[in-house]
Structure formats: C-alpha cells, structure tokens
Amino acid sequence: MCHKNNITRSLYNRGNESATDFAYALALYRRGFTRMEVYNCILQERQDWTNHASERKKEQYLTRTLLKAEKIIG
C-alpha cells in the first residue's frame, strides 16, 4: 500500500485494469508522488498482469500510462 493518506489502488477500481491504473496514477500525482513512486505503487498493487506478462511489456505499459497521466496533471 502506498503511504500518503493510505491511498490504495482498490479505491480507484473502474472495472478495467488499465482504467484503474490510470485513475490511480492521476490520484497519486495529485498527491505529490514522483513518477518512480507512482510506477512502484502500481507495480506492487496490480495483481493481474495477463495483458503485460513480460517485464519489458510491463515497463512499456507503465511508462505510457504515466506519461499520459503526467500530461493531464501538467
């Protein structure tokens, strides 16, 4: 579980793994988490990596997701 205010990924469940990750990333960025902290929180808390099975695919997916979230947050 990530620390600041005990925020967890389950609080942002959208019924879709990618949508949940994105909502969670936005929430973490809004609370002042760094890119590495957001990356690690999602990596630790997401259970189903079926669509991104290899380490390379996980890394590429998380990088894309975080860059999209950063664009919105500014």
Side-chain angles (χ1 to χ4, degrees), residues 53-71:
S54 73
E55 289 303 312
R56 183 173 154 259
K57 286 186 178 189
K58 275 185 205 176
E59 183 179 327
Q60 290 173 338
Y61 163 74
L62 286 170
T63 299
R64 277 192 318 271
T65 300
L66 299 186
L67 287 174
K68 288 178 187 176
E70 288 171 9
K71 273 185 151 178

Side-chain angles (χ1 to χ4, degrees), residues 25-31 66-74:
L26 289 172
L28 292 171
Y29 277 126
R30 286 184 179 122
R31 286 168 175 78
L66 299 186
L67 287 174
K68 288 178 187 176
E70 288 171 9
K71 273 185 151 178
I72 289 173
I73 296 302

Side-chain angles (χ1 to χ4, degrees), residues 2-32:
C2 290
H3 301 306
K4 297 178 186 171
N5 297 328
N6 293 328
I7 184 172
T8 64
R9 186 176 177 274
S10 62
L11 295 172
Y12 297 90
N13 189 337
R14 300 295 185 259
N16 171 292
E17 293 291 334
S18 295
T20 299
D21 288 340
F22 189 68
Y24 187 42
L26 289 172
L28 292 171
Y29 277 126
R30 286 184 179 122
R31 286 168 175 78

